[in-house]
Each structure stands twice: as structure tokens, then as C-alpha cells.
Amino acid sequence: MKAKTHFFKNLDLTSILVPEDGATFTGTKVVCTVGPSCQDVDMMCDMLNAGVVGCRVDLTWGPLDFHRKSLHNLQLAMRKSRRLCCTMVDTLGRELMIRRQVKIGEDGWPIHEESFTVSAGQQVIITTRMDVEASGSVLPITYSKFTEMAVKGDTVYIGRYLVCGADSASLYLEVVDVQGDDVVCVAKNDAVLDGLLTVFHAERSSEGLSNVQNDLPLLSDYDKECLHILAQDFEIDFLSLSYTRSADDVREARRFLDSIGMSNTKILAKLESRQSLLNFQGILNEADGIIISRGNLGLDCVPEKMALVQKTLVQACNLVGKPVLMTRVVDTMINTPRPTRAEATDVANAVLDGVDGILLGAETLRGRYPCETVTTICSISRAAEKVFDHHYHYEHLMEVAIDVGEIGGDHHGAPADSDEDGAITPSAGLAQNEVNGHGANSPSRGPSFRGSGMRGHGHGLRRDDSWNSVTSAGAHHQLPSLGVAAKAMARFSQVASTGSLAGLGYGRQDMTGAAYHRAPYISKLESIASSAVRAADRVGASLIVVYTHTGKTAQLVAKYRPNMPILTLVVPHLVSDQLKWKLEGRSSARQCLISRSLLPVLAAPSPSGDQLLHEAVVMASRVGLVKPHDHVVCVQRIHDDFCVKIISVDELGAGIKRDDAVMSHSVFGINPTHGATGPPAVQHGPGYDSPRVHNNPIGNKFGHMPVPVHLQPPNFTGSLVTVLTPTGLNL
């Protein structure tokens, strides 16, 4: 893939150094790790108000009771602060640790009473013997087959849980011999080992994969037990899958989640080793999002390649529209109230690269300044977003899509113009519930980027991906694979040359119509999403409003990184598992929180789509997203038509400007059954059960929203409370 350069229009340092104007919108999201430093309800409220949109509990360390208390306190904090927040559970998985004596503190957090000092050149033995206690010279490891993995000359890293690798709690060892149950090493640096000590066996090969991998299960028995217990009392939005190695790992986790009733939980694959990079395409196709775990990943890659690895991963995730989070950004703020210049630059560069959010670890788990850390991240992100080149990002995605499509689009699987390249056509019967893209993919087996498609298997279609649940329990819609997304975007690229489109199989005449006519369903949604962003840019819109059931439509819009917020109206809908009916949509709203620029709001059914849009504009005006006479671009579905509508805010900022002359030419749509030349979308007539916006917190740094006199504000208890009444859904 091509590297994305950053060009700044303003080179006047005098104006650049002007302090921030106190803007309230931050597109880049912040997810924190809950620990002793931030478990208190009041501290959680402060962090939610500062900009936190997600909280992670890590099963790697800490008893289950502590994590249950953390999730309970998060519910109380959401109710108290009236902020929406998603929940994430991180697994223990294949983690290797040093076995040490531990006791539980008064706050329920495990602590170690003593630390070990190691000097450079000192001999250190890592042993698998069970009868040995940890000391500065002997470290018993939890994995009994570690001696089968180690080879003379290998590098073994031992460090405190969630350290950056550059502090006093990080120890680098070189293996000099393997003797029975012992791995004899020599220390490369001085270190003071304290707290939970984790072990990472760095890859010895400079190019491929030659290390023997541990055979620990993807999900430990402890992971499974904790997930089963937590799922009974809390709604878990994301599973952070530690040490993901391949697409098979994601599928295995999906099967387990489905088996315990967590089918709505999305899977974020953590990339922590070189093996995950070698299998990245398959992982990306299967997972619902990516976490770049830069701590371990930085140990398994040479330093000069890390920047390129990070940029490539972010760009690939942007291309398919899946959220990507990055870890280890401001480690020094564990002990200091201000980041280093390198850390501040690192955060800004991540935002400029296109990352969706930042995942904080030790900074909030045991740091002294958790709230200040969140505020700092948001401030740096806002400053970087102001100079983010949205036009170049849009065109860059299109150019990359064409390149990827030409390289790997037609060499494997179905041809580029086939409906079998990873999309469901409207005739498949699954597209009627959602405006969103429905590609499905198998893991890649080749080096080129491609989508292997969705194939019929007698009874119907096989769905390997798991982005959302729709008409029944266990049924999932998908975002496209890398290859499918590339071909879809290439077909509708506004900057594509005639030669490029011709290279995709279309002639020079009427290529747009032919591409649209022959394109799969997901391509048409790509067209709507990209058109909405381009329209918003052309008219200088202040806001994009997207109607959706599961959030995927909004994600397709967000992948193009528009320079305005995307107000996502999530419409709850009833689904059946053939035994009972269940209302879904609450979790979808929370899951939208980790996607860049999305501001999710729950909406309820209403007979009038115009009334819903009016209330959405009123709410946006209250929180300062729009001003009088601003333009708003709306993406919605009416019957079988997809519609992009441009409206204006009235002169008082109290609703939509009712101007027939404006409305008559601001509506255009595409019917998936008619193609680009089909009849335009119609704005009137019954049949579309539009939602009604409620006064919901939207999970970003806004003040409290005034409560409209005609709406009852929701009661947040960790999930949005929903009551089914004879007259409809009251949220």
C-alpha cells in the first residue's frame, strides 16, 4: 500500500500556536482500562465527561469480583453523568507470566509485597519447576513447555503488566543455554521487577516465523468462566481477543460467544505478534475491529519497521471501514501530568494516519493522572483533526482501492463483476432490514488482497463474519473484506481515471452506469456513503445524520473521515430466536462509540421521518453541532430506496428550514433494484417506520443536554432501559 503523506495548508507558526478554542467535538475516541486508579464512581464520571467513550476490564490481572465491581460502578457513573459508554472485556488467552505470591488489597486489587533487582550481566534462570519461589535470580514461569520454545541466542522480555518496555520494570534477557527444566539467561540491562510479571518470547527470525509457538488455548478456562458470569449481569459490547494469531482464532471466539448467548458482542482482534501480521488479512476479514497492541508488537518487529507496520494496519482497516484502536501512547503520564514531546507527536500522527481511537492501559489502570490523561489525548486529537486533510484521505482511499483491486481483485475466487464477490444482492432476502453493507468473507490463503465471497451451501448462505445480528438470533451481516471493499470503492471512485475503470472490466462508454448495474449490493452502499461525504464537503455541511439499525451504514460513511460529526440515529428493532422476541439496538448504539466521528443516539419508531429529522437537528443545535443556516446531510432508507438529503437549519437554529425550493432539488436516491438510472427516492407515503430521537447522551465531550418538555429522558443503568408498550417503543 502507498504511504499517506500529510500536507498542511497553514504554515504560519504564529497562528498554529494559538490555544485551542474550546471545541466540544472530538472525533477520535478514547477507551480506558479500569483499575484501582479509576474504579471510583466519581472518577469515572470525571473521565466520561472528559471524553472517555469505552471502558475495558482486563481478565489478565485482577479477581473477577473486582471486575464485576468495575462494571457496576460504570453503570452508576453513566447514570450519574448521563454519558453513554461501551464495555470491553480483555482476555487472558495465551499470556505467559511469572508465578509469584500475591495478596488482595483493601480495594480488591492484587498486590505483590516485594520487588526484585536485576543487574546487567547477571545470570537469570527461567524455570518450569513448580516448587521454586520467584527471586532475582530464578523466575518460575506458568507455562510448562517453555523450555521447548527457547533456543540459545533468543531474546526473552520480562516486564511489569502494561509497562512500555523502556522503564525500570522492563528486563531483556538473552538465552545462553537450556538445561532440563531451566532456561539459563543473561540480563542485558538493569531492572527492578515489581507487580505482575509477563513474559514475551521475541521472534528470532528477522523476516519470517521460526519460533515454536506455545500451545495454550485461545480462551483459557478462566476466560470462559468469567465471560459466562459477566454476561449474565452485564451487556458486554466488545471482546478484546488477546494474542490473535489467525482468522481461525476469531471464528473460534465467535462460536464460543454465540454458545453462551453473547451473539451481539463484537470481537476486536489484538495484534500482538509477528504471526498475527503474517495472517492479518484473514484476521481483518473475520474480526469486527482491530487493536494494534504496540507493546508486544514492538518487541516482535524491528524498530525501523514499526512505523510502516502501524500505518499499513491503520490504512487497511480504513479501507474496509472497520474500527482500529492503538495502544501505548502516553506511558509517561502514569507518573507525570504531561506527556513527552515524542508521545504528543505520536498521538497526533496516529490521528493523521486515520486511527479511530486510543486505548489507554496503565495510564488509567494504575496511573496518578487518569482524568488528565484523557483530557490530554482529546486535546491533542482535536488539534490534529483540525489539520487532517479530509480531501486527500478521501482520494487516497479511492486510489488505494483501485491499486488493490487491480492487483488482486480478479485473480482469485469470483470475478470482479460477479455478485458472488462477497455481497448479498437484494434478492437474497437479507438486505431488507438494514441500510448497511452485507459482504461476507473467508480468510485469505494468498498474498494478494481479495474477498473470497459468500457461497451457497444447500440450505442457504454461510456467514463467517459477525458484525451484527439482524432478523434472527445468530444471523450476521458483514462489512466487506479488503478485496471486496477495494473493488466496490474503485467502481465508484470520483477520482478514478477512465483507464483504471476500464482495467476493472468496464468499457469507456457509460462505465458508471455499467459499473452500478453490475455491482454487488455492498458497492451501492459504498456509493451512497462516499456520495454523502462528498456532498457534505461540497455544500460545507456542519453535520451528517445517518439512520441505521446496526451502525454499519454510519461506519461506511465514517471510513471516508468527513470533517464534520456523524450523528448516528440507531433504530432499535425486534428480532426473534423462534422462542421469544428481543429488542436489539441498544448495544449497536454503544458499539458505534469506538468509530471515529460517530455520535450514536438511540431513536424510537415514529410515523414521520421528517419529524425525526427535525428533532435530531434540534438536539444537534442544543449541543452546538449546528448553527442557524448550517447545512445538514442526511443518509436514510425509504422503502427500498437509499436517499441522501440536504437540508438547512432555520434562522433561529430551532429546526429544519422549511423551504420547498431547497427541498425540491436536495433529494436524490438510488434504488438497489433499479440501479443508478432508476427512479429517485420519494419522500412521502406510508410504509417507512422512522424512529423518533430522544434526549440521549451521545458519548463525547458535550455538556448536559436540556430535556425537552415533550420527551422523557432515558434512565441509563449500563444499558438503555427499554419498555415495550401497546402504543410503541418508549426508550
Side-chain angles (χ1 to χ4, degrees):
M1 290 190 176
K2 298 179 180 178
K4 184 171 67 174
T5 55
H6 309 302
F7 295 99
F8 303 123
K9 299 178 181 179
N10 182 11
L11 299 181
D12 181 9
L13 287 177
T14 303
S15 61
I16 292 175
L17 293 175
V18 173
E20 292 294 314
D21 57 4
T24 57
F25 172 68
T26 306
T28 306
K29 306 307 177 72
V30 179
V31 179
C32 72
T33 302
V34 183
S37 294
C38 65
Q39 192 191 41
D40 180 72
V41 174
D42 291 336
M43 177 58 73
M44 282 188 173
C45 288
D46 292 341
M47 293 175 64
L48 291 176
N49 289 326
V52 165
V53 300
C55 288
R56 175 183 73 157
V57 295
D58 194 350
L59 301 180
T60 301
W61 193 226
L64 179 59
D65 289 341
F66 184 90
H67 298 315
R68 287 172 59 89
K69 182 180 179 181
S70 298
L71 293 177
H72 175 70
N73 287 354
L74 177 59
Q75 290 182 326
L76 299 178
M78 282 193 287
R79 182 188 299 124
K80 184 176 180 179
S81 65
R82 294 186 55 78
R83 301 282 180 172
L84 197 61
C85 184
C86 64
T87 57
M88 182 186 302
V89 174
D90 205 320
T91 61
L92 169 62
R94 301 174 170 122
E95 188 78 67
L96 305 183
M97 296 178 288
I98 298 299
R99 190 173 59 254
R100 298 181 62 191
Q101 294 294 327
V102 63
K103 73 173 186 178
I104 304 299
E106 295 180 357
D107 57 359
W109 188 253
I111 58 175
H112 296 89
E113 294 183 333
E114 58 179 337
S115 59
F116 308 130
T117 301
V118 179
S119 302
Q122 174 184 331
Q123 177 178 289
V124 178
I125 296 176
I126 302 175
T127 183
T128 60
R129 289 175 289 168
M130 301 293 294
D131 58 343
V132 177
E133 292 189 3
S135 65
S137 58
V138 180
L139 300 174
I141 194 170
T142 56
Y143 181 54
S144 61
K145 299 180 182 179
F146 184 72
T147 54
E148 300 176 13
M149 299 170 55
V151 175
K152 183 179 179 180
D154 284 357
T155 297
V156 178
Y157 170 79
I158 299 178
R160 187 179 181 182
Y161 168 63
L162 294 181
V163 294
C164 64
D167 50 26
S168 61
S170 300
L171 175 63
Y172 293 88
L173 302 173
E174 180 180 345
V175 177
V176 296
D177 195 10
V178 179
Q179 303 173 356
D181 296 331
D182 299 337
V183 177
V184 182
C185 309
V186 60
K188 292 184 176 182
N189 64 289
D190 298 335
V192 179
L193 303 180
D194 188 20
L196 173 67
L197 301 178
T198 60
V199 180
F200 187 84
H201 183 209
E203 172 60 45
R204 68 178 68 97
S205 171
S206 60
E207 298 179 356
L209 190 68
S210 59
N211 281 19
V212 176
Q213 306 298 313
N214 70 66
D215 59 1
L216 292 173
L218 174 70
L219 297 174
S220 66
D221 292 338
Y222 178 71
D223 288 328
K224 295 179 179 179
E225 178 185 359
C226 290
L227 287 172
H228 191 273
I229 294 174
L230 292 176
Q232 295 177 7
D233 299 326
F234 307 99
E235 291 186 4
I236 307 302
D237 300 309
F238 296 101
L239 177 69
S240 175
L241 196 59
S242 298
Y243 289 96
T244 304
R245 294 175 177 170
S246 66
D248 289 336
D249 286 347
V250 182
R251 286 192 287 268
E252 178 185 341
R254 180 77 271 160
R255 288 192 295 268
F256 173 75
L257 292 178
D258 290 344
S259 69
I260 62 173
M262 297 177 64
S263 58
N264 288 334
T265 300
K266 310 309 174 190
I267 298 176
L268 302 180
K270 287 181 69 177
L271 307 182
E272 302 189 68
S273 65
R274 190 180 302 179
Q275 186 174 7
S276 65
L277 298 182
L278 298 177
N279 296 323
F280 172 64
Q281 183 186 342
I283 294 174
L284 179 61
N285 290 347
E286 293 294 330
D288 302 313
I290 297 295
I291 296 177
I292 306 175
S293 184
R294 300 196 304 172
N296 288 340
L297 201 57
L299 297 172
D300 226 19
C301 299
V302 292
E304 60 268 24
K305 294 293 185 181
M306 268 308 299
L308 301 180
V309 168
Q310 175 179 312
K311 290 177 181 292
T312 301
L313 295 177
V314 172
Q315 185 171 281
C317 293
N318 288 168
L319 193 62
V320 300
K322 292 184 178 180
V324 53
L325 306 179
M326 193 177 72
T327 67
R328 302 292 176 84
V329 288
V330 286
D331 293 294
T332 58
M333 291 195 72
I334 298 174
N335 298 311
T336 61
R338 180 185 175 95
T340 65
R341 60 186 182 279
E343 291 173 335
T345 305
D346 190 25
V347 174
N349 279 330
V351 174
L352 294 175
D353 287 340
V355 74
D356 286 86
I358 303 297
L359 175 58
L360 298 174
E363 300 97 327
T364 57
L365 180 132
R366 61 172 179 264
R368 298 179 181 178
Y369 308 96
C371 192
E372 291 84 350
T373 300
V374 175
T375 302
T376 299
I377 294 292
C378 290
S379 298
I380 297 173
S381 298
R382 282 195 300 272
E385 289 166 8
K386 285 186 175 182
V387 298
F388 185 86
D389 195 335
H390 303 275
H391 301 90
Y392 183 71
H393 177 85
Y394 185 102
E395 295 175 356
H396 182 77
L397 280 183
M398 291 300 185
E399 291 175 357
V400 171
I402 293 174
D403 292 342
V404 173
E406 290 177 342
I407 292 172
D410 299 331
H411 297 303
H412 303 279
D417 59 351
S418 170
D419 279 344
E420 296 184 18
D421 64 352
I424 304 175
T425 61
S427 60
L430 293 176
Q432 304 305 316
N433 233 9
E434 171 62 62
V435 182
N436 306 316
H438 306 342
N441 325 284
S442 316
S444 170
R445 292 188 295 271
S448 61
F449 295 107
R450 66 184 182 89
S452 58
M454 177 178 284
R455 304 287 188 264
H457 290 277
H459 303 294
L461 298 173
R462 176 172 62 86
R463 303 173 185 86
D464 290 331
D465 204 358
S466 57
W467 181 252
N468 49 63
S469 299
V470 284
T471 56
S472 62
H476 301 295
H477 286 174
Q478 300 81 22
L479 284 170
S481 69
L482 197 56
V484 174
K487 288 181 285 184
M489 293 168 60
R491 285 189 177 98
F492 297 100
S493 173
Q494 299 294 324
V495 298
S497 65
T498 301
S500 297
L501 283 176
L504 291 174
Y506 306 119
R508 290 181 175 271
Q509 296 182 353
D510 196 23
M511 284 181 296
T512 303
Y516 200 96
H517 177 70
R518 305 172 65 185
Y521 191 72
I522 182 64
S523 296
K524 299 169 185 178
L525 295 172
E526 286 281 357
S527 175
I528 288 292
S530 59
S531 297
V533 174
R534 183 167 289 274
D537 178 69
R538 292 290 177 86
V539 303
S542 299
L543 182 69
I544 298 177
V545 178
V546 181
Y547 297 69
T548 183
H549 285 306
T550 64
K552 194 183 296 91
T553 308
Q555 284 189 296
L556 288 175
V557 175
K559 68 183 283 186
Y560 294 100
R561 299 293 186 258
N563 62 347
M564 67 285 296
I566 305 170
L567 188 63
T568 307
L569 304 182
V570 181
V571 186
H573 55 288
L574 287 172
V575 297
S576 173
D577 60 2
Q578 299 181 349
L579 294 177
K580 60 182 179 180
W581 289 93
K582 181 174 61 173
L583 185 69
E584 290 189 354
R586 299 175 299 180
S587 59
S588 297
R590 294 192 300 269
Q591 288 160 354
C592 286
L593 285 170
I594 68 169
S595 295
R596 185 156 160 177
S597 297
L598 294 192
L599 303 177
V601 177
L602 269 180
S606 170
S608 172
D610 289 341
Q611 180 62 25
L612 164 69
L613 187 56
H614 173 79
E615 294 188 14
V617 172
V618 170
M619 186 190 70
S621 178
R622 287 197 195 105
V623 298
L625 294 179
V626 295
K627 304 184 299 297
H629 305 293
D630 281 354
H631 294 305
V632 177
V633 172
C634 176
V635 181
Q636 64 183 125
R637 178 175 178 174
I638 301 178
H639 301 291
D640 292 331
D641 298 314
F642 299 107
C643 172
V644 177
K645 179 166 58 177
I646 303 174
I647 61 174
S648 299
V649 183
D650 63 22
E651 60 276 6
L652 299 178
I656 299 174
K657 181 179 181 181
R658 300 299 179 181
D659 187 339
D660 294 337
V662 174
M663 296 296 290
S664 64
H665 70 265
S666 63
V667 178
F668 61 94
I670 298 176
N671 188 309
T673 60
H674 295 112
T677 59
V682 182
Q683 292 297 311
H684 60 273
Y688 178 63
D689 191 23
S690 298
R692 178 167 52 87
V693 173
H694 273 242
N695 182 44
N696 293 315
I698 51 184
N700 219 299
K701 191 176 178 182
F702 295 108
H704 296 293
M705 291 190 226
V707 180
V709 295
H710 61 287
L711 294 178
Q712 179 65 30
N715 178 26
F716 287 95
T717 58
S719 61
L720 296 171
V721 178
T722 307
V723 180
L724 185 62
T725 67
T727 58
L729 300 175
N730 296 327
L731 301 181

